[in-house]
Amino acid sequence: TDEIMQQEIRPLVAVDIIEQLHRQFAILSGGRGKDGAPIITFPEFAGFSEIPDDDFLNVVTYLTSIPSLEAASIGFIIIIDRRRDKWSAVKASLTRIAGAFPGNLQLVFVLRPSRFIQRAIADIGIKLYRDDFKMKVPIIMLNSVSDLHGYIDKSQLTRELGGTLEYGHSQWIHHRTAIENFAMTVKTTAQMLQSFGTDLAETELPNDVQCTEELLSSHTEHHSKLKDELKLAVKQGATLLTCIREPVTRSANCKLSPDELENVATVERLLAQLDETEKAFDQFWTKHHLKLEQCLQLRHFEHDFREVKLTLDNLMETQAGFTDIGDSVTRVENLLKEQKHLEEKGQEPLEKAQSLALHGEQLIQNNHYAVDSIRPKCVELRRICDDFTNETKKKYDILGKSLELHKQLDKASQWCEAGIYLLASQAVDKCQSQEGAETALVEIEKFLVTAKEHELSNPKEFYNQFDMILTPEIKANAQRIVQKLEDVQEMFDKRQVSLKKLAAKQTRPVQPVAPHPESSPKRASPKITRPAAVEYLGQFCGAPRRGPAAQNGNHALVQGLIEKCISKSQGHIINELIETERVYVEELQSIIEGYASEMDNPNLVHLIPSALQNKKEVLFGNLPEIYYFHNRIFLKEIENCIENPELLARCFLKRKEDLQIYEKYCQNKPRSEALWRQCGDSIFFQECQRKLDHKLSLDAYLLKPVQRITKYQLLLKEMLKCSKNSEGTAELEEALATVLDIIKSVNDSMHQIAITGYEGDVSELGKLLMQGSFNVWTDHKKGHNKVKDLARFKPMQRHLFLYTKMLLFCKKREENTDGHEKTASYSFKNSLKMSTVGITENVKGDNKKFEIWYNGREEVYIIQASSVELKNTWISEIRKVLTGQLEACR
């Protein structure tokens, strides 16, 4: 009983009774009665009585199951053709049909035997045995097919019954078999898809990359096979539909029978079912495949995170052990090299970490299912990168301060040694005469001038600058050098007193002459009082302070210079401008002739380092061009203003374009400085400096053009103070604005060349209008809510570059260059096309903030300036750009 209950119950199909159907003892031709009742015909069949009951029942049951429920409910019409047979065959047929027909009957037509005797017997038999047949429907005995046509239209009867209905039994069996096979294919396919979907839904996601890749490959391969089977099934159904419709396709006058139309509807329904199944499966597969791909992305991300995290941890551990700050210049320089090596070593893992964090944020923005796992890792990566960068910057700062302090202490110590040597080298017998005493005094005064090089800052600034590195050992060393400076200064003071007494025997006082500032090859630097290091370093380090050194004989000159600086006379300012311009031209000439030209001197070629070969233009930039302009043009023009100061403004306005040469020089300055740091210690430069008798090295002179362009604005401002409300005030103001604009352009270009990471060409962005640092909050409408919330409350430090076509957002980075001053670079982060931005002036009542929104407010940037004036300047400039674009569009 259990086995019977567990067996699958399914209806009969053609393939189960294919042999019985081929015997053709009963057919469903497709014809219908007037009310749509299906017609089943029992053709003449010699061995009808010999057909086994099971075979007969299976065939009749199968035929009655084919018409639709609606048609079957009307009742079947049975036509029994026994025209060539006997009454006994008619009786046997009626008896079997009455006992085994499974459907509802409407009418039974019997084409009685055509032979006279058998027809007579049939008439009598039907009257006698009608009740024995147990049929509740009429049994109509017909003499000929003509009588049958009175009940059923010819178009619904086959040719054997005198009708016009086309019927091929073999083709009918073929169609039935194909339809049922297709139905089974559809069912099997649906079951396979459902089974595969169940397996996918129950699949547990792997925890490593390899297993995830294998699972994704396996599922994708299985999916492809199922899709191929689906396509094959659809193709099978389409072919079958074409075969069923083939008569109509072949002849426009031909019409399908109701059964054939039902076959068409069945196949179409199965195809529709296949299509719905495929769509549902594709939707499920799309979600599952996305989840598998995201899982693989997550496993790759986790794997990369573990590797990068391990590398960064080792890097941080190495950096944490880097605590030495050095006890000498050489040691600090070596430590800086080690720190630089560590920084370079960490550059690759830091870039990987930043790239991985960016990749993680992209996964989050793409709605990855494992957001809660990815976000903390991104935060951790950025934290470690920031920690390493900040710690590196801190160590560079400490080592830089240590290097600076040790250099200053070394210079002070060397100055003391040189001073002691000078005092010891002065012969006592030669100083007894007035001339010898005066000569010795001049030597001492010249030497004391060099004390200026050891001035650092006042005590408070010194404390703030070196507090973090003043270890007990360094502090003790500083105190020793301070004491040494005090002692040497005292020795000089005593020697000066003695020499002045000897020189006082002169009949007339000696007027002190102040040398020119060091501005040309043969001029000495102005002398100063005792080293300021004695004043502030001794105070800070605890050394006893002494009274100020004796004033030198330049008091009258200093007072004159002070009076000169506060003078309001235009002529005086013109004279100062011309004098400093002449000195400037001389300095440029000395650089070109004493250094640049000497690089081509065959006698000195062997002294030039290899790194400097063919690098003259890098080291000096366009300095010859600047010298030519000032020597041949600008100096002569401003010399013409001695008698007519009002013409000075016109000189600057006329040469506005020529003064742009400074922008090119300043842009090359970082390259020049880098080359100097690499080769500045070479014997070649020392020899050139010796020949020129320069107190300062070449790098100090290469800074002169940068200092000169800023000097002009100071002189023009002084001229404006002297000429308020006069006729030339407007031109002076315009000239000052021109110089300020050139300085701003130079300054902006210096910042612009430090932009890194921008893949485009900044020269294609139009004119650089503004640049500066701001606090920036971002709000991306498509981003994750938590990301937006975090962005609103935590500002980013960004350096903005405003061009006529684009607004660039960069991150400012400062780094020490081989222990020298910090140089800034700007790492590109984002850009906005000015053609697609909008601006809101005030944000949430903060008059220092303004808002820039992009692409219909999908991205919003809240920008906070350091002052209201700066904010208004930027808003004004941005509005000019937007207005210009609007006018261009019009």
Side-chain angles (χ1 to χ4, degrees):
T1 303
D2 292 340
E3 292 178 358
I4 294 174
M5 293 297 294
Q6 292 174 3
Q7 289 178 355
E8 183 180 2
I9 300 174
R10 64 179 181 84
L12 282 171
V13 292
V15 71
D16 296 335
I17 54 172
I18 191 71
E19 294 182 4
Q20 292 87 332
L21 289 174
H22 275 294
R23 296 175 71 181
Q24 203 173 343
F25 58 82
I27 63 173
L28 184 69
S29 63
R32 299 292 175 94
K34 294 179 181 179
D35 56 356
I39 299 173
I40 294 178
T41 302
F42 290 86
E44 290 181 328
F45 190 81
F48 185 83
S49 58
E50 298 175 1
I51 297 173
D53 291 339
D54 289 341
D55 291 352
F56 178 83
L57 180 61
N58 287 339
V59 171
V60 175
T61 301
Y62 176 74
L63 294 180
T64 56
S65 68
I66 293 174
S68 64
L69 293 176
E70 182 181 358
S73 63
I74 299 173
F76 288 86
I77 296 175
I78 293 178
I79 299 176
I80 304 173
D81 185 5
R82 294 294 181 263
R83 288 174 290 175
R84 299 179 183 177
D85 217 328
K86 302 177 181 179
W87 160 247
S88 57
V90 174
K91 180 181 178 182
S93 299
L94 288 173
T95 302
R96 172 167 276 184
I97 292 170
F101 194 84
N104 296 329
L105 287 174
Q106 185 186 93
L107 286 174
V108 177
F109 293 102
V110 178
L111 286 172
R112 69 181 77 193
S114 57
R115 287 179 290 180
F116 178 79
I117 297 175
Q118 293 299 325
R119 180 179 297 179
I121 295 172
D123 289 339
I124 297 171
I126 195 64
K127 294 178 181 178
L128 295 176
Y129 296 97
R130 181 182 296 276
D131 295 334
D132 294 341
F133 299 140
K134 299 179 182 179
M135 291 188 181
K136 298 180 181 179
V137 296
I139 300 174
I140 300 173
M141 304 295 289
L142 302 175
N143 293 325
S144 65
V145 293
S146 300
D147 296 339
L148 180 61
H149 296 165
Y151 293 94
I152 301 175
D153 191 85
K154 287 183 179 182
S155 63
Q156 302 301 315
L157 296 173
T158 61
R159 295 185 182 277
E160 289 79 9
L161 297 178
T164 59
L165 180 65
E166 294 290 338
Y167 175 77
H169 191 63
S170 297
Q171 187 183 42
W172 181 88
I173 292 174
H174 175 71
H175 283 177
R176 289 307 308 167
T177 305
I179 291 172
E180 288 163 0
N181 284 340
F182 180 58
M184 182 57 65
T185 300
V186 172
K187 179 180 178 182
T188 304
T189 303
Q191 288 175 344
M192 286 191 299
L193 293 179
Q194 183 178 7
S195 176
F196 182 55
T198 302
D199 292 340
L200 296 185
E202 294 175 354
T203 299
E204 187 173 319
L205 296 178
N207 293 322
D208 61 275
V209 173
Q210 183 178 354
C211 292
T212 306
E213 288 177 341
E214 291 174 356
L215 183 65
L216 179 60
S217 175
S218 173
H219 284 189
T220 304
E221 183 179 358
H222 196 172
H223 168 262
S224 299
K225 290 181 180 178
L226 289 177
K227 287 289 289 184
D228 290 340
E229 292 182 9
L230 264 172
K231 292 178 182 177
L232 191 61
V234 170
K235 184 177 181 181
Q236 178 185 349
T239 303
L240 177 57
L241 198 61
T242 302
C243 291
I244 297 173
R245 290 174 173 168
E246 194 270 339
V248 177
T249 306
R250 188 175 62 250
S251 174
N253 297 327
C254 182
K255 293 183 179 180
L256 298 178
S257 68
D259 282 358
E260 290 173 326
L261 291 174
E262 286 184 2
N263 288 343
V264 170
T266 299
V267 175
E268 289 177 342
R269 185 178 68 254
L270 291 171
L271 285 171
Q273 182 181 341
L274 263 182
D275 184 63
E276 291 175 0
T277 302
E278 183 176 13
K279 288 179 180 178
F281 176 72
D282 285 344
Q283 290 177 355
F284 175 81
W285 169 253
T286 299
K287 294 179 181 178
H288 178 77
H289 188 256
L290 176 61
K291 190 170 184 179
L292 280 181
E293 286 186 329
Q294 289 185 341
C295 177
L296 183 58
Q297 292 171 347
L298 177 63
R299 300 304 174 234
H300 277 298
F301 178 82
E302 291 173 340
H303 177 266
D304 294 342
F305 172 81
R306 287 191 293 269
E307 289 187 347
V308 172
K309 179 73 163 50
L310 180 61
T311 305
L312 291 178
D313 288 344
N314 293 335
L315 199 64
M316 292 294 292
E317 184 178 354
T318 303
Q319 189 183 58
F322 201 95
T323 57
D324 190 4
I325 63 171
D327 55 1
S328 66
V329 173
T330 304
R331 177 57 181 161
V332 177
E333 288 176 344
N334 289 334
L335 290 173
L336 280 168
K337 290 180 181 178
E338 292 176 11
Q339 180 63 39
K340 183 68 175 177
H341 176 70
L342 179 63
E343 184 183 21
E344 292 173 350
K345 180 181 177 182
Q347 195 62 35
E348 183 178 354
L350 285 177
E351 290 177 355
K352 286 184 178 179
Q354 293 286 2
S355 176
L356 187 60
L358 181 61
H359 177 58
E361 290 173 355
Q362 290 174 346
L363 292 179
I364 293 173
Q365 291 178 1
N366 293 334
N367 299 320
H368 197 286
Y369 70 88
V371 172
D372 293 336
S373 174
I374 296 173
R375 182 174 288 112
K377 293 180 174 60
C378 294
V379 173
E380 177 69 2
L381 288 173
R382 294 197 183 280
R383 182 194 65 79
I384 297 177
C385 290
D386 290 342
D387 288 349
F388 181 82
T389 302
N390 294 335
E391 193 64 23
T392 300
K393 182 177 180 297
K394 187 185 300 182
K395 290 188 182 298
Y396 272 130
D397 289 343
I398 292 174
L399 291 174
K401 292 182 185 302
S402 178
L403 181 63
E404 182 180 354
L405 176 60
H406 286 299
K407 282 184 175 180
Q408 292 175 1
L409 294 177
D410 284 355
K411 284 183 179 180
S413 180
Q414 291 170 6
W415 184 85
C416 291
E417 297 295 333
I420 294 171
Y421 177 80
L422 174 61
L423 293 174
S425 64
Q426 288 183 336
V428 177
D429 55 342
K430 293 182 179 180
C431 296
Q432 298 303 314
S433 65
Q434 293 180 3
E435 182 178 356
E438 289 174 354
T439 302
L441 273 174
V442 171
E443 289 178 350
I444 290 175
E445 288 174 354
K446 284 184 178 181
F447 180 78
L448 289 177
V449 168
T450 61
K452 183 71 175 178
E453 299 174 5
H454 309 304
E455 289 186 7
L456 302 178
S457 57
N458 60 44
K460 184 177 180 180
E461 290 175 347
F462 181 84
Y463 178 86
N464 293 335
Q465 186 176 7
F466 298 113
D467 177 48
M468 67 178 67
I469 63 169
L470 280 175
T471 63
E473 294 78 11
I474 295 177
K475 191 171 183 180
N477 186 34
Q479 289 176 345
R480 285 194 299 271
I481 293 176
V482 166
Q483 186 61 50
K484 194 172 183 179
L485 282 169
E486 295 275 354
D487 295 338
V488 171
Q489 184 65 44
E490 185 177 2
M491 293 167 63
F492 274 108
D493 290 344
K494 291 180 180 178
R495 179 65 63 86
Q496 281 180 312
V497 170
S498 301
L499 292 173
K500 285 179 180 178
K501 288 179 180 179
L502 293 173
K505 298 177 180 179
Q506 298 181 151
T507 58
R508 61 181 179 85
V510 177
Q511 295 296 328
V513 179
H516 289 285
E518 183 177 15
S519 57
S520 64
K522 300 299 181 180
R523 293 177 180 174
S525 302
K527 62 182 179 180
I528 60 170
T529 60
R530 61 183 287 179
V534 174
E535 297 294 328
Y536 71 82
L537 194 56
Q539 179 183 2
F540 175 75
C541 296
R545 295 190 59 183
R546 305 181 183 179
Q551 298 293 323
N552 58 30
N554 293 328
H555 179 75
L557 175 62
V558 172
Q559 187 63 31
L561 289 173
I562 293 173
E563 292 174 357
K564 178 179 178 181
C565 292
I566 63 174
S567 175
K568 302 300 182 181
S569 168
Q570 289 186 353
H572 193 78
I573 297 172
I574 291 291
N575 288 335
E576 182 181 355
L577 173 61
I578 294 173
E579 179 61 22
T580 55
E581 185 74 12
R582 289 169 179 166
V583 172
Y584 177 54
V585 171
E586 289 177 10
E587 290 173 338
L588 296 182
Q589 182 181 3
S590 70
I591 297 171
I592 294 173
E593 293 178 355
Y595 286 98
S597 298
E598 287 297 298
M599 290 182 68
D600 299 325
N601 186 346
N603 297 326
L604 298 179
V605 170
H606 65 284
L607 299 179
I608 300 176
S610 58
L612 194 60
Q613 297 290 340
N614 301 321
K615 295 288 182 65
K616 185 196 297 186
E617 292 182 358
V618 176
L619 183 61
F620 297 98
N622 62 332
L623 195 68
E625 183 183 6
I626 295 175
Y627 168 68
Y628 179 89
F629 167 71
H630 284 272
N631 185 45
R632 299 288 183 89
I633 301 173
F634 199 60
L635 175 59
K636 295 179 181 180
E637 289 182 352
I638 62 176
E639 284 177 340
N640 294 332
C641 300
I642 294 177
E643 301 297 330
N644 300 297
E646 64 274 9
L647 299 178
L648 178 63
R650 299 180 187 177
C651 292
F652 285 94
L653 294 175
K654 179 181 177 181
R655 297 302 172 185
K656 178 180 179 180
E657 297 297 328
D658 294 322
L659 289 170
Q660 296 292 335
I661 57 178
Y662 282 91
E663 182 174 342
K664 181 179 178 182
Y665 183 84
C666 292
Q667 286 179 343
N668 180 68
K669 200 70 176 68
R671 298 174 61 207
S672 173
E673 290 174 349
L675 185 59
W676 171 258
R677 287 193 294 271
Q678 187 177 0
C679 308
D681 296 331
S682 69
I683 301 176
F684 170 79
F685 291 116
Q686 295 175 8
E687 180 65 16
C688 292
Q689 183 178 349
R690 186 190 64 77
K691 288 182 179 180
L692 292 170
D693 195 22
H694 278 187
K695 300 298 182 183
L696 302 177
S697 57
L698 173 62
D699 58 332
Y701 288 92
L702 291 177
L703 195 60
K704 297 291 183 179
V706 181
Q707 297 169 337
R708 188 59 184 168
I709 192 65
T710 57
K711 178 70 174 178
Y712 291 139
Q713 63 156 329
L714 300 177
L715 293 171
L716 287 172
K717 286 179 180 178
E718 290 297 322
M719 286 290 289
L720 271 173
K721 291 179 183 178
C722 301
S723 60
K724 283 188 176 179
N725 302 322
S726 64
E727 293 181 358
T729 301
E731 283 190 337
L732 278 171
E733 289 177 344
E734 188 177 354
L736 177 59
T738 296
V739 174
L740 291 175
D741 186 62
I742 292 172
I743 295 174
K744 177 182 179 298
S745 178
V746 169
N747 184 53
D748 289 349
S749 67
M750 291 294 289
H751 288 276
Q752 176 180 271
I753 63 174
I755 297 176
T756 62
Y758 181 71
E759 295 182 354
D761 186 355
V762 293
S763 63
E764 297 176 357
L765 304 182
K767 182 180 179 182
L768 176 59
L769 304 174
M770 303 282 287
Q771 56 84 24
S773 295
F774 298 88
N775 288 334
V776 179
W777 290 262
T778 63
D779 191 351
H780 298 273
K781 300 299 183 184
K782 293 185 178 181
H784 196 276
N785 290 335
K786 292 183 179 179
V787 176
K788 291 196 294 182
D789 293 343
L790 180 62
R792 288 193 184 101
F793 295 106
K794 185 178 181 181
M796 298 177 292
Q797 298 296 321
R798 290 291 182 264
H799 201 89
L800 272 58
F801 292 84
L802 175 63
Y803 296 85
T804 54
K805 297 181 181 179
M806 193 82 75
L807 178 62
L808 301 187
F809 290 76
C810 300
K811 183 174 182 180
K812 184 176 181 181
R813 303 182 185 278
E814 292 185 347
E815 57 186 14
N816 287 20
T817 307
D818 297 332
H820 290 73
E821 65 277 8
K822 294 179 181 177
T823 58
S825 65
Y826 302 95
S827 177
F828 172 77
K829 294 296 181 183
N830 193 15
S831 63
L832 301 178
K833 290 183 179 178
M834 293 304 294
S835 59
T836 58
V837 304
I839 186 170
T840 304
E841 184 168 347
N842 289 315
V843 179
K844 299 180 180 178
D846 190 336
N847 58 3
K848 293 183 182 179
K849 290 182 180 178
F850 61 98
E851 182 181 87
I852 291 179
W853 41 271
Y854 178 70
N855 199 13
R857 290 190 176 273
E858 287 185 4
E859 298 178 21
V860 178
Y861 298 81
I862 299 174
I863 301 173
Q864 184 183 49
S866 58
S867 66
V868 177
E869 292 76 16
L870 180 61
K871 173 198 131 178
N872 292 337
T873 302
W874 273 74
I875 288 178
S876 174
E877 201 66 38
I878 292 173
R879 290 197 186 282
K880 288 180 184 178
V881 174
L882 299 181
T883 303
Q885 291 176 349
L886 181 60
E887 291 175 355
C889 290
R890 288 174 178 171

